[in-house]
């Protein structure tokens, strides 16, 4: 089946008992057993819940994986994947990942003796050279948060496979509608379902998709052992959002492309980062790897921090807030908000500067979004 059909139906099959066409929300924390040690299929909702299983099946199907696993947040999923590692293990993290991902490796896993180094995966050879005998995993995003760097997932996967490493691809920014990393050779796909998958900024969640049976078994064990599981209500919201993912991604992408082009032609931005801008150094790779450009973009505004904050505070349709992927447009300053947990020196090295603005372009009328951006640019220029 094709994507739109899967998005509408996966995990949303009519309830077998009642025929309900919307998935029932099973709030039960525990399930009656037929005899001692004889569960009917479910025992306790941390280890398995029917509403959660629907979401897990849907994530797996949209990502072309055999199995899905749902979590209470994207970082809950990250914590669980990180728990595959042991003391002494080393991880290669591609430059420019979500601030919270950096923070959990830098400030939590490091305490357990798991080390990491940052690599510039735009050059696959430098990635291959950075592999140590203790390296177990490569962690990447594409497009990256917040600089929208597009990395060649297939090329990274080839190196990971040759070196026997797990490749985890955080596919939050693209969503399964734009790209499917498992098909390109990734071992694990991670989502913050808080973003495009649920799509309405009304829940926090995470998910993984995998095909390797042994790895699935280990992750399933860790999901229960660590316990960062989502509530059945949140699973329902993610499933409900997912039914329109394809429609939303089309509109997000159309709107973001228009705003990126507006910014580029405005003379008020020193750089604009969007995968499907022809001026982007990775335009050809993005066109090959992604079906659309997606709803995220960032740009550097002329006039530094003062102009950036003036721009953000002048917006009327875009909401000044962290997060992304909802139907409403959001704007933020990564250096002071989402990526503040990355040390200043490291932020500077990566290019997460005080004049860098990130936009999550929603699905509103593109003309209203364009008017809003133009007006805010004018106000920022007169600051
Ligand atoms: O917020 P949470 O559901 O725990 O997801 C973490 C996460 C993981 N991966 C990526 C690429 C992300 O962007 C995030 C969360 N990001 C934001 C809150 C943000 O505004 O960038």
């Amino acid at each position: 089946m094709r994507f739109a059909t899967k998005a509408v139906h996966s995990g949303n099959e009519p309830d077998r008992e009642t025929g309900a066409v919307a998935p029932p929300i099973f709030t039960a924390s525990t399930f009656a057993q037929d005899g001692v040690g004889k569960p009917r299929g479910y025992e306790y909702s941390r280890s398995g819940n029917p509403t959660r299983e629907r979401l897990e099946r849907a994530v797996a199907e949209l990502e072309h994986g055999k199995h899905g696993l749902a979590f209470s947040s994207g970082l809950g999923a990250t914590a669980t994947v990180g728990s595959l590692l042991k003391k002494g293990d080393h991880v290669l993290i591609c430059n420019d990942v979500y601030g919270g991902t950096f923070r959990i490796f830098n400030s939590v896993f490091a305490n357990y003796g798991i080390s990491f180094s940052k690599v510039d995966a735009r050059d696959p050879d430098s990635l291959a050279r950075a592999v140590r005998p203790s390296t177990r995993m490569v962690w990447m995003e594409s497009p990256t948060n917040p600089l929208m760097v597009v990395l060649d997932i297939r090329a990274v996967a080839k190196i990971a496979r040759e070196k026997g490493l797990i490749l985890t691809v955080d596919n939050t920014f693209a969503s399964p509608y734009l790209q499917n990393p498992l098909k390109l050779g990734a071992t694990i796909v991670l989502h913050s379902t808080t973003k495009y998958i649920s799509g309405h900024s009304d829940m926090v969640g995470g998910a993984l998709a995998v095909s390797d049976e042994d790895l699935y078994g280990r992750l399933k064990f860790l999901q229960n052992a660590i316990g960062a599981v989502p509530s059945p209500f949140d699973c329902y919201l993610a499933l409900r959002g997912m039914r329109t993912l394809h429609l939303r991604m089309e509109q997000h992408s159309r709107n973001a492309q228009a705003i990126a082009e507006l910014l580029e032609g405005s003379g008020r931005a020193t750089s604009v980062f969007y995968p499907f801008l022809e001026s982007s150094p990775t335009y050809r790779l993005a066109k090959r790897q992604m079906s659309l450009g997606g709803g995220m973009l960032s740009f550097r505004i002329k006039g530094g921090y003062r102009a950036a904050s003036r721009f953000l505070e002048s917006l009327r349709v875009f909401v000044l807030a962290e997060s992304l992927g909802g139907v409403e447009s959001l704007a933020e300053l990564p250096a002071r908000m989402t990526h503040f947990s990355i040390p200043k020196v490291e932020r500077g090295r990566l290019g997460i500067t005080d004049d860098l603005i990130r936009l999550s372009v929603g699905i509103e009328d593109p003309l209203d979004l364009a008017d809003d951006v133009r007006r805010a640019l004018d106000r920022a220029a007169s600051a």
Side-chain angles (χ1 to χ4, degrees):
M1 270 192 292
R2 294 172 180 80
F3 193 94
T5 314
K6 286 200 285 187
V8 171
H9 292 287
S10 293
N12 285 295
E13 303 80 9
D15 178 42
R16 247 182 274 145
E17 205 164 307
T18 62
V21 296
I25 305 170
F26 286 92
T27 57
S29 57
T30 192
F31 297 83
Q33 307 201 6
D34 288 334
V36 177
K38 286 190 193 152
R40 295 178 201 171
Y42 300 97
E43 292 164 54
Y44 184 61
S45 268
R46 174 164 29 77
S47 50
N49 173 282
T51 314
R52 188 173 94 211
E53 279 183 11
R54 283 173 173 264
L55 172 61
E56 293 177 332
R57 199 165 64 244
V59 170
E61 285 177 19
L62 293 192
E63 281 293 7
H64 296 261
K66 283 200 187 132
H67 302 285
L69 293 148
F71 296 89
S72 54
S73 66
L75 278 173
T78 302
T80 305
V81 173
S83 302
L84 290 167
L85 301 163
K86 296 193 177 67
K87 187 176 172 189
D89 287 351
H90 171 255
V91 180
L92 287 170
I93 303 182
C94 298
N95 273 342
D96 192 19
V97 288
Y98 169 56
T101 305
F102 175 85
R103 181 178 56 203
I104 198 170
F105 276 97
N106 195 44
S107 308
V108 181
F109 298 151
N111 297 332
Y112 304 145
I114 296 159
S115 63
F116 72 92
S117 36
K118 288 292 212 71
V119 280
D120 185 351
R122 283 174 300 185
D123 171 17
D125 291 339
S126 80
L127 178 76
R129 280 196 302 276
V131 175
R132 304 177 189 170
S134 60
T135 307
R136 297 284 172 267
M137 187 182 287
V138 179
W139 191 288
M140 69 181 286
E141 296 176 6
S142 181
T144 63
N145 183 359
L147 284 160
M148 306 304 300
V149 176
V150 176
L151 297 173
D152 190 336
I153 299 173
R154 201 187 287 279
V156 175
K158 184 166 177 283
I159 293 166
R161 198 169 46 250
E162 282 165 7
K163 307 269 182 189
L165 310 176
I166 290 173
L167 170 61
T168 304
V169 178
D170 183 334
N171 202 27
T172 299
F173 265 38
S175 90
Y177 187 58
L178 306 190
Q179 73 189 10
N180 298 121
L182 291 178
K183 287 213 292 191
L184 301 173
T187 335
I188 301 174
V189 171
L190 182 143
H191 282 282
S192 165
T193 54
T194 317
K195 320 299 183 205
Y196 289 109
I197 285 186
S198 65
H200 295 73
S201 304
D202 55 5
M203 59 80 79
V204 172
L208 300 174
V210 290
S211 284
D212 183 278
E213 295 293 343
D214 175 61
L215 193 58
Y216 171 66
R218 287 160 68 201
L219 287 166
K220 176 99 186 124
F221 167 81
L222 290 169
Q223 180 194 41
N224 182 47
I226 295 169
V229 292
S231 78
F233 284 105
D234 286 342
C235 294
Y236 168 78
L237 286 172
L239 267 170
R240 180 180 170 130
M242 218 187 268
R243 303 185 97 164
T244 54
L245 180 61
H246 49 298
L247 300 177
R248 288 186 283 108
M249 291 317 294
E250 292 278 345
Q251 186 72 18
H252 281 299
S253 300
R254 256 197 307 278
N255 286 356
Q257 181 85 38
I259 298 294
E261 286 169 11
L262 182 164
L263 286 165
E264 199 167 46
S266 70
R268 302 262 168 81
T270 51
S271 9
V272 182
F273 306 105
Y274 183 68
F276 273 27
L277 270 183
E278 276 181 51
S279 57
S280 161
T282 49
Y283 175 69
R284 288 162 70 91
L285 168 62
K287 281 280 193 180
R288 195 168 73 233
Q289 188 162 278
M290 302 166 68
S291 58
L292 293 167
M296 296 301 297
L297 66 89
S298 55
F299 69 102
R300 286 192 218 291
I301 194 165
K302 281 186 184 163
Y305 175 65
R306 228 173 105 80
S309 50
R310 177 88 179 186
F311 173 88
L312 289 166
E313 287 161 13
S314 302
L315 291 164
R316 286 182 182 163
V317 180
F318 280 81
V319 178
L320 173 52
E322 298 197 4
S323 201
L324 59 119
V327 289
E328 68 292 302
S329 293
L330 302 179
E332 65 115 8
L333 196 81
R336 306 282 173 113
M337 296 170 68
T338 50
H339 291 68
F340 189 64
S341 59
I342 298 177
K344 197 170 177 0
V345 178
E346 176 71 1
R347 284 203 306 269
R349 197 179 67 75
L350 294 171
I352 304 173
T353 46
D354 280 355
D355 57 356
L356 182 78
I357 291 167
R358 191 187 76 180
L359 301 181
S360 169
V361 183
I363 63 168
E364 300 94 334
D365 190 295
L367 298 178
D368 289 330
L369 296 180
D371 285 348
D372 199 32
V373 167
R374 257 190 236 106
R375 223 185 110 268
L377 285 173
D378 287 346
R379 294 191 67 124
S382 64

